[in-house]
Amino acid sequence: MSMMTTEQLYKALLKHMGPQGWWPADTREEMILGAILVQNTNWNNAALSLRRLKEATHFEPQNILNLPIEELKILIRSSGFYNNKSKAISTLFNWLNQYQFDYCKINEVYGEHLRNELLKLHGIGSETADVLLVYIFERVEFIPDHYTRRLYKKLGYANTENYDKLKRYVELPSNFTNQDANEFHALLDNFGKNYFNGSIEQRYHFLDQYFTKMD
């Protein structure tokens, strides 16, 4: 049986699950904070930190920049790894502040080198950089997070051992737009949470025929 292509997977997920309406945020700054806070934790823990940050700052960039680091740590404690995440937030917001949070200008300044610039910042790894590229800078990137790697492994793909290996191995369709990249990541993440946690596995028999490898 031939493997399901990335384009086929995207169309199947979209048909059966519908648009996901991601990222769950009202502003880009809220998205940025969420992308950092959700690292190595679940969304519920990150969401609690976001609520506390919203109460304290209204997600206004200058309010966040003016927060004393110790207060920031307290506000985001529920997301875990608060020492590292507070430094990542401070570093990234100070970097963005150099460009007055003008995301179009940042896109223009760095062009194809933007991902590498993001990776130089403290606390910004491959996955977070790609999330920022898709949801903040409106680029087209594949985001092979934990659930995505598990799904691609079940579909029979090689190089699913870690994030960067699968990212190099899988190419998104050439006609993918930013909205497609946005939707694809949301579908993969939500599918993975449900399927691999076993809560509503019966809903996803439409993919069973393609699962040529099992965990």
Side-chain angles (χ1 to χ4, degrees):
M1 183 183 295
S2 60
M3 289 190 301
M4 194 179 203
T5 68
T6 290
E7 187 168 14
Q8 288 171 334
L9 176 60
Y10 174 50
K11 289 180 178 179
L13 291 172
L14 187 60
K15 177 181 177 180
H16 288 270
M17 296 174 64
Q20 301 299 293
W22 266 29
W23 187 279
D26 295 325
T27 68
R28 290 187 180 184
E29 289 72 38
E30 184 181 356
M31 290 181 194
I32 291 168
L33 292 166
I36 294 174
L37 293 171
V38 79
Q39 293 174 1
N40 301 305
T41 192
N42 61 58
W43 182 252
N44 289 335
N45 291 336
L48 179 56
S49 292
L50 283 170
R51 286 197 295 271
R52 291 173 174 167
L53 276 170
K54 185 176 183 178
E55 291 172 359
T57 69
H58 303 288
F59 298 133
E60 290 292 335
Q62 293 308 315
N63 291 342
I64 294 166
L65 286 167
N66 291 335
L67 272 179
I69 195 71
E70 293 304 319
E71 183 177 349
L72 178 56
K73 289 179 184 179
I74 292 171
L75 291 170
I76 68 171
R77 184 178 292 270
S78 66
S79 66
F81 302 95
Y82 52 87
N83 287 319
N84 189 61
K85 290 180 181 180
S86 61
K87 185 176 180 181
I89 290 170
S90 177
T91 300
L92 179 54
F93 270 69
N94 274 288
W95 182 76
L96 293 169
N97 193 45
Q98 297 178 53
Y99 304 95
Q100 294 78 49
F101 291 82
D102 185 335
Y103 302 104
C104 290
K105 181 177 180 180
I106 294 171
N107 253 326
E108 293 173 1
V109 169
Y110 290 104
E112 64 182 21
H113 303 293
L114 180 55
R115 188 175 192 269
N116 288 334
E117 289 301 315
L118 291 170
L119 290 173
K120 293 177 182 178
L121 301 175
H122 176 85
I124 306 300
S126 294
E127 183 175 336
T128 304
D130 288 333
V131 166
L132 295 175
L133 288 172
V134 171
Y135 291 95
I136 304 301
F137 297 103
E138 300 181 354
R139 302 286 186 94
V140 177
E141 293 286 343
F142 179 49
I143 307 174
D145 62 7
H146 174 69
Y147 288 128
T148 298
R149 295 197 302 276
R150 289 185 66 182
L151 176 55
Y152 270 78
K153 181 179 180 180
K154 289 181 74 67
L155 290 171
Y157 280 75
N159 298 300
T160 60
E161 296 87 353
N162 64 49
Y163 188 99
D164 292 310
K165 279 188 176 181
L166 187 58
K167 184 174 176 66
R168 288 193 295 269
Y169 186 69
V170 173
E171 290 187 10
L172 294 178
S174 60
N175 63 343
F176 248 41
T177 64
N178 170 255
Q179 182 58 39
D180 290 323
N182 177 324
E183 196 66 67
F184 189 42
H185 174 58
L187 288 163
L188 288 167
D189 196 77
N190 285 333
F191 174 89
K193 288 174 184 175
N194 292 319
Y195 188 92
F196 292 112
N197 290 336
S199 58
I200 53 174
E201 183 170 337
Q202 67 275 10
R203 287 181 55 188
Y204 298 117
H205 290 313
F206 70 94
L207 282 180
D208 286 348
Q209 62 181 307
Y210 297 102
F211 289 164
T212 58
K213 290 188 178 182
M214 303 300 293
D215 290 339

Short mmCIF file of all heavy atoms in Angstrom, two decimals, residues 146-204:
data_model
loop_
_atom_site.label_atom_id
_atom_site.label_comp_id
_atom_site.label_asym_id
_atom_site.label_seq_id
_atom_site.Cartn_x
_atom_site.Cartn_y
_atom_site.Cartn_z
N HIS A 146 5.20 16.86 18.16
CA HIS A 146 5.17 15.49 18.67
C HIS A 146 4.05 14.66 18.04
O HIS A 146 4.28 13.55 17.56
CB HIS A 146 5.01 15.53 20.19
CG HIS A 146 4.84 14.18 20.82
ND1 HIS A 146 5.85 13.25 20.87
CD2 HIS A 146 3.75 13.61 21.41
CE1 HIS A 146 5.41 12.15 21.47
NE2 HIS A 146 4.14 12.34 21.81
N TYR A 147 2.84 15.19 18.03
CA TYR A 147 1.72 14.44 17.47
C TYR A 147 1.89 14.22 15.98
O TYR A 147 1.55 13.15 15.45
CB TYR A 147 0.42 15.19 17.72
CG TYR A 147 -0.05 15.17 19.16
CD1 TYR A 147 -0.38 16.34 19.83
CD2 TYR A 147 -0.18 13.96 19.85
CE1 TYR A 147 -0.82 16.32 21.15
CE2 TYR A 147 -0.62 13.93 21.17
CZ TYR A 147 -0.94 15.11 21.81
OH TYR A 147 -1.36 15.09 23.10
N THR A 148 2.41 15.20 15.28
CA THR A 148 2.62 15.07 13.84
C THR A 148 3.63 13.98 13.53
O THR A 148 3.43 13.17 12.60
CB THR A 148 3.08 16.42 13.25
OG1 THR A 148 2.07 17.40 13.47
CG2 THR A 148 3.36 16.30 11.77
N ARG A 149 4.71 13.92 14.31
CA ARG A 149 5.72 12.88 14.08
C ARG A 149 5.14 11.49 14.32
O ARG A 149 5.44 10.54 13.59
CB ARG A 149 6.94 13.13 14.96
CG ARG A 149 7.68 14.42 14.60
CD ARG A 149 9.07 14.47 15.17
NE ARG A 149 9.14 14.34 16.60
CZ ARG A 149 8.97 15.34 17.47
NH1 ARG A 149 8.70 16.56 17.02
NH2 ARG A 149 9.07 15.14 18.77
N ARG A 150 4.30 11.36 15.34
CA ARG A 150 3.67 10.07 15.62
C ARG A 150 2.74 9.67 14.48
O ARG A 150 2.70 8.50 14.07
CB ARG A 150 2.89 10.13 16.93
CG ARG A 150 3.77 10.20 18.16
CD ARG A 150 2.96 10.14 19.44
NE ARG A 150 2.31 8.85 19.60
CZ ARG A 150 1.51 8.53 20.62
NH1 ARG A 150 1.25 9.45 21.56
NH2 ARG A 150 0.97 7.34 20.72
N LEU A 151 1.99 10.62 13.95
CA LEU A 151 1.09 10.33 12.86
C LEU A 151 1.84 9.93 11.61
O LEU A 151 1.49 8.94 10.93
CB LEU A 151 0.18 11.53 12.59
CG LEU A 151 -0.79 11.40 11.39
CD1 LEU A 151 -1.65 10.15 11.52
CD2 LEU A 151 -1.65 12.65 11.27
N TYR A 152 2.88 10.68 11.27
CA TYR A 152 3.66 10.36 10.07
C TYR A 152 4.35 9.01 10.21
O TYR A 152 4.52 8.28 9.22
CB TYR A 152 4.68 11.47 9.77
CG TYR A 152 4.13 12.55 8.87
CD1 TYR A 152 3.28 13.54 9.37
CD2 TYR A 152 4.42 12.57 7.51
CE1 TYR A 152 2.75 14.52 8.55
CE2 TYR A 152 3.90 13.55 6.67
CZ TYR A 152 3.06 14.52 7.20
OH TYR A 152 2.53 15.48 6.37
N LYS A 153 4.75 8.65 11.42
CA LYS A 153 5.33 7.32 11.64
C LYS A 153 4.30 6.24 11.34
O LYS A 153 4.60 5.24 10.67
CB LYS A 153 5.82 7.20 13.07
CG LYS A 153 6.46 5.84 13.38
CD LYS A 153 6.97 5.78 14.82
CE LYS A 153 7.60 4.43 15.11
NZ LYS A 153 8.09 4.35 16.52
N LYS A 154 3.07 6.43 11.82
CA LYS A 154 2.02 5.45 11.56
C LYS A 154 1.67 5.37 10.08
O LYS A 154 1.22 4.35 9.58
CB LYS A 154 0.77 5.78 12.39
CG LYS A 154 0.95 5.53 13.88
CD LYS A 154 -0.31 5.85 14.66
CE LYS A 154 -1.39 4.81 14.46
NZ LYS A 154 -1.03 3.49 15.04
N LEU A 155 1.89 6.46 9.36
CA LEU A 155 1.63 6.47 7.93
C LEU A 155 2.77 5.84 7.13
O LEU A 155 2.69 5.73 5.90
CB LEU A 155 1.39 7.90 7.44
CG LEU A 155 0.08 8.54 7.90
CD1 LEU A 155 0.05 10.02 7.53
CD2 LEU A 155 -1.12 7.82 7.29
N GLY A 156 3.85 5.44 7.82
CA GLY A 156 4.94 4.74 7.17
C GLY A 156 6.12 5.58 6.74
O GLY A 156 7.01 5.11 6.03
N TYR A 157 6.14 6.83 7.17
CA TYR A 157 7.23 7.71 6.80
C TYR A 157 8.50 7.41 7.59
O TYR A 157 8.44 6.93 8.73
CB TYR A 157 6.84 9.18 7.02
CG TYR A 157 5.99 9.76 5.92
CD1 TYR A 157 4.65 9.42 5.80
CD2 TYR A 157 6.52 10.64 4.98
CE1 TYR A 157 3.86 9.94 4.78
CE2 TYR A 157 5.74 11.17 3.96
CZ TYR A 157 4.40 10.82 3.87
OH TYR A 157 3.64 11.34 2.87
N ALA A 158 9.65 7.69 6.97
CA ALA A 158 10.94 7.55 7.65
C ALA A 158 11.31 8.89 8.29
O ALA A 158 10.62 9.90 8.12
CB ALA A 158 12.02 7.15 6.64
N ASN A 159 12.39 8.88 9.04
CA ASN A 159 12.95 10.10 9.64
C ASN A 159 11.96 10.82 10.56
O ASN A 159 11.89 12.05 10.58
CB ASN A 159 13.43 11.06 8.54
CG ASN A 159 14.53 10.47 7.70
OD1 ASN A 159 15.59 10.13 8.19
ND2 ASN A 159 14.26 10.31 6.41
N THR A 160 11.22 10.05 11.34
CA THR A 160 10.27 10.65 12.29
C THR A 160 10.85 10.74 13.70
O THR A 160 10.14 11.09 14.64
CB THR A 160 8.97 9.82 12.34
OG1 THR A 160 9.28 8.49 12.76
CG2 THR A 160 8.28 9.79 10.98
N GLU A 161 12.15 10.45 13.84
CA GLU A 161 12.76 10.38 15.18
C GLU A 161 12.75 11.73 15.90
O GLU A 161 12.57 11.78 17.11
CB GLU A 161 14.20 9.86 15.10
CG GLU A 161 14.33 8.44 14.58
CD GLU A 161 14.42 8.39 13.06
OE1 GLU A 161 14.25 9.44 12.41
OE2 GLU A 161 14.67 7.28 12.54
N ASN A 162 13.00 12.78 15.15
CA ASN A 162 12.99 14.09 15.81
C ASN A 162 12.47 15.16 14.86
O ASN A 162 12.25 14.91 13.67
CB ASN A 162 14.39 14.46 16.34
CG ASN A 162 15.42 14.62 15.25
OD1 ASN A 162 15.20 15.31 14.25
ND2 ASN A 162 16.57 13.98 15.41
N TYR A 163 12.26 16.32 15.40
CA TYR A 163 11.63 17.43 14.69
C TYR A 163 12.36 17.78 13.40
O TYR A 163 11.76 17.83 12.32
CB TYR A 163 11.59 18.64 15.63
CG TYR A 163 10.79 19.80 15.10
CD1 TYR A 163 9.48 20.02 15.52
CD2 TYR A 163 11.32 20.70 14.18
CE1 TYR A 163 8.73 21.09 15.04
CE2 TYR A 163 10.59 21.76 13.68
CZ TYR A 163 9.29 21.95 14.12
OH TYR A 163 8.56 23.00 13.64
N ASP A 164 13.64 18.07 13.50
CA ASP A 164 14.38 18.58 12.34
C ASP A 164 14.52 17.54 11.24
O ASP A 164 14.53 17.87 10.06
CB ASP A 164 15.74 19.11 12.78
CG ASP A 164 15.62 20.37 13.63
OD1 ASP A 164 14.91 21.29 13.20
OD2 ASP A 164 16.20 20.41 14.73
N LYS A 165 14.63 16.25 11.61
CA LYS A 165 14.75 15.21 10.59
C LYS A 165 13.49 15.12 9.75
O LYS A 165 13.55 15.05 8.51
CB LYS A 165 15.04 13.86 11.25
CG LYS A 165 16.48 13.65 11.64
CD LYS A 165 16.72 12.22 12.10
CE LYS A 165 18.19 11.98 12.41
NZ LYS A 165 18.42 10.58 12.84
N LEU A 166 12.33 15.11 10.40
CA LEU A 166 11.10 15.01 9.62
C LEU A 166 10.84 16.28 8.82
O LEU A 166 10.35 16.23 7.70
CB LEU A 166 9.91 14.72 10.54
CG LEU A 166 8.59 14.42 9.82
CD1 LEU A 166 8.74 13.23 8.88
CD2 LEU A 166 7.46 14.17 10.80
N LYS A 167 11.20 17.42 9.37
CA LYS A 167 11.01 18.68 8.65
C LYS A 167 11.82 18.69 7.34
O LYS A 167 11.35 19.18 6.32
CB LYS A 167 11.42 19.88 9.52
CG LYS A 167 11.14 21.24 8.85
CD LYS A 167 11.42 22.39 9.78
CE LYS A 167 11.22 23.72 9.08
NZ LYS A 167 9.81 23.96 8.72
N ARG A 168 13.02 18.14 7.39
CA ARG A 168 13.84 18.08 6.18
C ARG A 168 13.29 17.06 5.18
O ARG A 168 13.48 17.20 3.97
CB ARG A 168 15.29 17.73 6.54
CG ARG A 168 16.06 18.86 7.23
CD ARG A 168 17.54 18.56 7.28
NE ARG A 168 17.84 17.40 8.11
CZ ARG A 168 18.13 17.46 9.41
NH1 ARG A 168 18.14 18.62 10.04
NH2 ARG A 168 18.39 16.35 10.09
N TYR A 169 12.62 16.03 5.70
CA TYR A 169 12.17 14.92 4.86
C TYR A 169 10.85 15.22 4.16
O TYR A 169 10.61 14.77 3.04
CB TYR A 169 12.03 13.68 5.74
CG TYR A 169 11.69 12.40 5.02
CD1 TYR A 169 12.62 11.79 4.17
CD2 TYR A 169 10.46 11.78 5.19
CE1 TYR A 169 12.32 10.61 3.51
CE2 TYR A 169 10.15 10.60 4.54
CZ TYR A 169 11.08 10.02 3.70
OH TYR A 169 10.78 8.85 3.05
N VAL A 170 9.97 15.97 4.82
CA VAL A 170 8.63 16.23 4.28
C VAL A 170 8.58 17.62 3.66
O VAL A 170 8.95 18.61 4.28
CB VAL A 170 7.56 16.11 5.39
CG1 VAL A 170 6.20 16.55 4.86
CG2 VAL A 170 7.50 14.69 5.92
N GLU A 171 8.10 17.69 2.43
CA GLU A 171 7.89 18.97 1.76
C GLU A 171 6.40 19.25 1.66
O GLU A 171 5.62 18.38 1.27
CB GLU A 171 8.51 18.96 0.36
CG GLU A 171 10.03 18.93 0.36
CD GLU A 171 10.59 19.09 -1.05
OE1 GLU A 171 9.78 19.40 -1.97
OE2 GLU A 171 11.79 18.92 -1.24
N LEU A 172 6.01 20.46 2.00
CA LEU A 172 4.62 20.85 1.82
C LEU A 172 4.34 21.02 0.33
O LEU A 172 5.23 21.34 -0.45
CB LEU A 172 4.33 22.16 2.55
CG LEU A 172 4.42 22.11 4.09
CD1 LEU A 172 4.16 23.51 4.66
CD2 LEU A 172 3.44 21.11 4.67
N PRO A 173 3.09 20.82 -0.08
CA PRO A 173 2.75 21.03 -1.49
C PRO A 173 3.13 22.43 -1.95
O PRO A 173 3.03 23.40 -1.19
CB PRO A 173 1.23 20.83 -1.51
CG PRO A 173 0.96 19.92 -0.35
CD PRO A 173 1.95 20.34 0.71
N SER A 174 3.55 22.56 -3.18
CA SER A 174 4.02 23.84 -3.69
C SER A 174 2.93 24.90 -3.75
O SER A 174 3.21 26.10 -3.77
CB SER A 174 4.62 23.65 -5.09
OG SER A 174 3.63 23.12 -5.99
N ASN A 175 1.68 24.45 -3.77
CA ASN A 175 0.57 25.41 -3.83
C ASN A 175 0.04 25.79 -2.44
O ASN A 175 -0.95 26.50 -2.33
CB ASN A 175 -0.57 24.83 -4.67
CG ASN A 175 -1.17 23.56 -4.06
OD1 ASN A 175 -0.56 22.92 -3.21
ND2 ASN A 175 -2.36 23.19 -4.53
N PHE A 176 0.70 25.35 -1.39
CA PHE A 176 0.26 25.68 -0.03
C PHE A 176 0.39 27.18 0.22
O PHE A 176 1.41 27.79 -0.08
CB PHE A 176 1.13 24.93 0.99
CG PHE A 176 0.38 23.86 1.74
CD1 PHE A 176 -0.52 23.04 1.10
CD2 PHE A 176 0.59 23.66 3.10
CE1 PHE A 176 -1.20 22.03 1.78
CE2 PHE A 176 -0.08 22.68 3.79
CZ PHE A 176 -0.98 21.86 3.14
N THR A 177 -0.67 27.75 0.79
CA THR A 177 -0.64 29.14 1.23
C THR A 177 -0.37 29.19 2.72
O THR A 177 -0.34 28.15 3.40
CB THR A 177 -1.98 29.83 0.94
OG1 THR A 177 -3.00 29.18 1.75
CG2 THR A 177 -2.35 29.73 -0.53
N ASN A 178 -0.21 30.40 3.25
CA ASN A 178 -0.05 30.53 4.70
C ASN A 178 -1.28 29.97 5.42
O ASN A 178 -1.15 29.32 6.46
CB ASN A 178 0.17 31.99 5.08
CG ASN A 178 0.09 32.20 6.58
OD1 ASN A 178 -0.92 32.74 7.09
ND2 ASN A 178 1.10 31.79 7.33
N GLN A 179 -2.46 30.22 4.88
CA GLN A 179 -3.67 29.70 5.51
C GLN A 179 -3.68 28.18 5.52
O GLN A 179 -4.12 27.55 6.48
CB GLN A 179 -4.91 30.23 4.79
CG GLN A 179 -6.23 29.76 5.41
CD GLN A 179 -6.37 30.14 6.87
OE1 GLN A 179 -5.98 31.24 7.26
NE2 GLN A 179 -6.91 29.24 7.68
N ASP A 180 -3.16 27.56 4.46
CA ASP A 180 -3.06 26.10 4.42
C ASP A 180 -2.10 25.60 5.49
O ASP A 180 -2.39 24.63 6.20
CB ASP A 180 -2.57 25.63 3.04
CG ASP A 180 -3.61 25.83 1.95
OD1 ASP A 180 -4.80 25.64 2.23
OD2 ASP A 180 -3.21 26.18 0.83
N ALA A 181 -0.95 26.26 5.61
CA ALA A 181 0.04 25.86 6.62
C ALA A 181 -0.54 26.03 8.02
O ALA A 181 -0.33 25.18 8.90
CB ALA A 181 1.31 26.69 6.46
N ASN A 182 -1.25 27.12 8.24
CA ASN A 182 -1.92 27.39 9.51
C ASN A 182 -2.91 26.27 9.82
O ASN A 182 -2.87 25.67 10.91
CB ASN A 182 -2.63 28.75 9.38
CG ASN A 182 -3.44 29.12 10.60
OD1 ASN A 182 -4.05 28.29 11.25
ND2 ASN A 182 -3.49 30.41 10.91
N GLU A 183 -3.78 25.98 8.87
CA GLU A 183 -4.84 24.99 9.07
C GLU A 183 -4.27 23.59 9.23
O GLU A 183 -4.75 22.79 10.06
CB GLU A 183 -5.81 25.04 7.90
CG GLU A 183 -7.13 24.35 8.16
CD GLU A 183 -7.94 25.05 9.24
OE1 GLU A 183 -8.38 26.18 9.03
OE2 GLU A 183 -8.12 24.42 10.31
N PHE A 184 -3.25 23.27 8.45
CA PHE A 184 -2.66 21.93 8.50
C PHE A 184 -2.09 21.65 9.88
O PHE A 184 -2.31 20.58 10.46
CB PHE A 184 -1.58 21.81 7.42
CG PHE A 184 -1.05 20.41 7.23
CD1 PHE A 184 -1.90 19.32 7.23
CD2 PHE A 184 0.30 20.20 7.02
CE1 PHE A 184 -1.42 18.02 7.03
CE2 PHE A 184 0.80 18.91 6.82
CZ PHE A 184 -0.06 17.83 6.83
N HIS A 185 -1.36 22.59 10.44
CA HIS A 185 -0.79 22.39 11.77
C HIS A 185 -1.90 22.23 12.81
O HIS A 185 -1.82 21.35 13.68
CB HIS A 185 0.11 23.56 12.16
CG HIS A 185 0.59 23.49 13.57
ND1 HIS A 185 1.32 22.42 14.05
CD2 HIS A 185 0.44 24.34 14.62
CE1 HIS A 185 1.61 22.62 15.33
NE2 HIS A 185 1.07 23.76 15.70
N ALA A 186 -2.93 23.05 12.72
CA ALA A 186 -4.04 22.97 13.68
C ALA A 186 -4.74 21.61 13.58
O ALA A 186 -5.05 20.99 14.61
CB ALA A 186 -5.02 24.10 13.42
N LEU A 187 -4.98 21.15 12.37
CA LEU A 187 -5.63 19.86 12.17
C LEU A 187 -4.78 18.72 12.73
O LEU A 187 -5.29 17.83 13.42
CB LEU A 187 -5.88 19.63 10.68
CG LEU A 187 -6.98 20.47 10.03
CD1 LEU A 187 -6.84 20.45 8.51
CD2 LEU A 187 -8.37 19.97 10.45
N LEU A 188 -3.48 18.74 12.43
CA LEU A 188 -2.59 17.69 12.92
C LEU A 188 -2.54 17.67 14.44
O LEU A 188 -2.57 16.60 15.06
CB LEU A 188 -1.18 17.92 12.35
CG LEU A 188 -0.99 17.62 10.87
CD1 LEU A 188 0.34 18.18 10.38
CD2 LEU A 188 -1.08 16.12 10.60
N ASP A 189 -2.46 18.83 15.04
CA ASP A 189 -2.36 18.91 16.49
C ASP A 189 -3.64 18.41 17.16
O ASP A 189 -3.59 17.61 18.10
CB ASP A 189 -2.05 20.34 16.91
CG ASP A 189 -1.56 20.41 18.35
OD1 ASP A 189 -0.39 20.08 18.61
OD2 ASP A 189 -2.37 20.79 19.21
N ASN A 190 -4.77 18.88 16.68
CA ASN A 190 -6.04 18.46 17.28
C ASN A 190 -6.35 17.00 17.01
O ASN A 190 -6.89 16.30 17.87
CB ASN A 190 -7.18 19.35 16.78
CG ASN A 190 -7.16 20.73 17.44
OD1 ASN A 190 -6.66 20.88 18.54
ND2 ASN A 190 -7.69 21.72 16.74
N PHE A 191 -6.01 16.52 15.81
CA PHE A 191 -6.17 15.10 15.52
C PHE A 191 -5.32 14.27 16.48
O PHE A 191 -5.79 13.30 17.07
CB PHE A 191 -5.76 14.80 14.08
CG PHE A 191 -5.76 13.32 13.76
CD1 PHE A 191 -6.92 12.71 13.29
CD2 PHE A 191 -4.62 12.54 13.95
CE1 PHE A 191 -6.92 11.35 13.02
CE2 PHE A 191 -4.63 11.19 13.68
CZ PHE A 191 -5.79 10.58 13.21
N GLY A 192 -4.06 14.67 16.63
CA GLY A 192 -3.15 13.91 17.48
C GLY A 192 -3.61 13.85 18.92
O GLY A 192 -3.54 12.80 19.57
N LYS A 193 -4.07 14.97 19.45
CA LYS A 193 -4.54 15.00 20.84
C LYS A 193 -5.67 14.01 21.05
O LYS A 193 -5.73 13.32 22.07
CB LYS A 193 -5.03 16.41 21.20
CG LYS A 193 -3.94 17.43 21.36
CD LYS A 193 -4.53 18.83 21.57
CE LYS A 193 -3.44 19.88 21.64
NZ LYS A 193 -3.99 21.24 21.72
N ASN A 194 -6.56 13.91 20.07
CA ASN A 194 -7.71 13.03 20.20
C ASN A 194 -7.37 11.57 19.89
O ASN A 194 -7.70 10.67 20.65
CB ASN A 194 -8.85 13.51 19.29
CG ASN A 194 -9.43 14.83 19.75
OD1 ASN A 194 -9.62 15.06 20.93
ND2 ASN A 194 -9.72 15.71 18.81
N TYR A 195 -6.70 11.37 18.76
CA TYR A 195 -6.43 9.99 18.33
C TYR A 195 -5.45 9.29 19.25
O TYR A 195 -5.72 8.19 19.72
CB TYR A 195 -5.91 9.98 16.89
CG TYR A 195 -5.81 8.56 16.34
CD1 TYR A 195 -6.88 8.01 15.64
CD2 TYR A 195 -4.67 7.79 16.54
CE1 TYR A 195 -6.81 6.72 15.15
CE2 TYR A 195 -4.60 6.49 16.06
CZ TYR A 195 -5.66 5.96 15.37
OH TYR A 195 -5.59 4.68 14.91
N PHE A 196 -4.33 9.91 19.52
CA PHE A 196 -3.29 9.22 20.29
C PHE A 196 -3.58 9.18 21.78
O PHE A 196 -2.99 8.39 22.51
CB PHE A 196 -1.93 9.86 20.01
CG PHE A 196 -1.46 9.63 18.60
CD1 PHE A 196 -1.37 10.66 17.71
CD2 PHE A 196 -1.13 8.35 18.17
CE1 PHE A 196 -0.96 10.44 16.40
CE2 PHE A 196 -0.72 8.12 16.87
CZ PHE A 196 -0.64 9.16 15.98
N ASN A 197 -4.49 10.00 22.24
CA ASN A 197 -4.92 9.89 23.63
C ASN A 197 -6.06 8.89 23.77
O ASN A 197 -6.49 8.60 24.89
CB ASN A 197 -5.36 11.25 24.17
CG ASN A 197 -4.19 12.20 24.35
OD1 ASN A 197 -3.05 11.77 24.51
ND2 ASN A 197 -4.46 13.49 24.31
N GLY A 198 -6.55 8.40 22.63
CA GLY A 198 -7.51 7.31 22.65
C GLY A 198 -8.92 7.69 23.05
O GLY A 198 -9.76 6.82 23.23
N SER A 199 -9.20 8.98 23.18
CA SER A 199 -10.51 9.38 23.70
C SER A 199 -11.63 9.21 22.68
O SER A 199 -12.72 8.78 23.02
CB SER A 199 -10.46 10.83 24.19
OG SER A 199 -10.06 11.69 23.13
N ILE A 200 -11.36 9.55 21.43
CA ILE A 200 -12.41 9.43 20.41
C ILE A 200 -11.83 8.79 19.15
O ILE A 200 -12.12 9.19 18.04
CB ILE A 200 -13.05 10.80 20.09
CG1 ILE A 200 -11.99 11.84 19.72
CG2 ILE A 200 -13.91 11.28 21.23
CD1 ILE A 200 -12.62 13.15 19.26
N GLU A 201 -11.02 7.75 19.36
CA GLU A 201 -10.35 7.11 18.24
C GLU A 201 -11.34 6.60 17.18
O GLU A 201 -11.06 6.60 15.99
CB GLU A 201 -9.50 5.95 18.74
CG GLU A 201 -8.69 5.24 17.66
CD GLU A 201 -7.68 4.27 18.24
OE1 GLU A 201 -7.31 4.44 19.41
OE2 GLU A 201 -7.27 3.35 17.52
N GLN A 202 -12.54 6.19 17.63
CA GLN A 202 -13.50 5.63 16.69
C GLN A 202 -13.92 6.63 15.62
O GLN A 202 -14.42 6.25 14.57
CB GLN A 202 -14.73 5.13 17.45
CG GLN A 202 -15.57 6.20 18.12
CD GLN A 202 -15.06 6.59 19.50
OE1 GLN A 202 -13.96 6.20 19.89
NE2 GLN A 202 -15.86 7.34 20.23
N ARG A 203 -13.71 7.92 15.85
CA ARG A 203 -14.12 8.92 14.88
C ARG A 203 -13.17 8.99 13.69
O ARG A 203 -13.48 9.60 12.68
CB ARG A 203 -14.17 10.31 15.54
CG ARG A 203 -15.33 10.50 16.48
CD ARG A 203 -15.31 11.89 17.06
NE ARG A 203 -15.28 12.91 16.03
CZ ARG A 203 -15.10 14.21 16.29
NH1 ARG A 203 -14.91 14.63 17.52
NH2 ARG A 203 -15.10 15.08 15.31
N TYR A 204 -12.02 8.36 13.78
CA TYR A 204 -11.00 8.58 12.77
C TYR A 204 -10.67 7.33 11.97
O TYR A 204 -9.55 7.13 11.53
CB TYR A 204 -9.75 9.15 13.44
CG TYR A 204 -10.03 10.49 14.08
CD1 TYR A 204 -9.90 10.67 15.45
CD2 TYR A 204 -10.45 11.57 13.31
CE1 TYR A 204 -10.17 11.91 16.03
CE2 TYR A 204 -10.73 12.79 13.87
CZ TYR A 204 -10.59 12.96 15.24
OH TYR A 204 -10.86 14.17 15.81
#
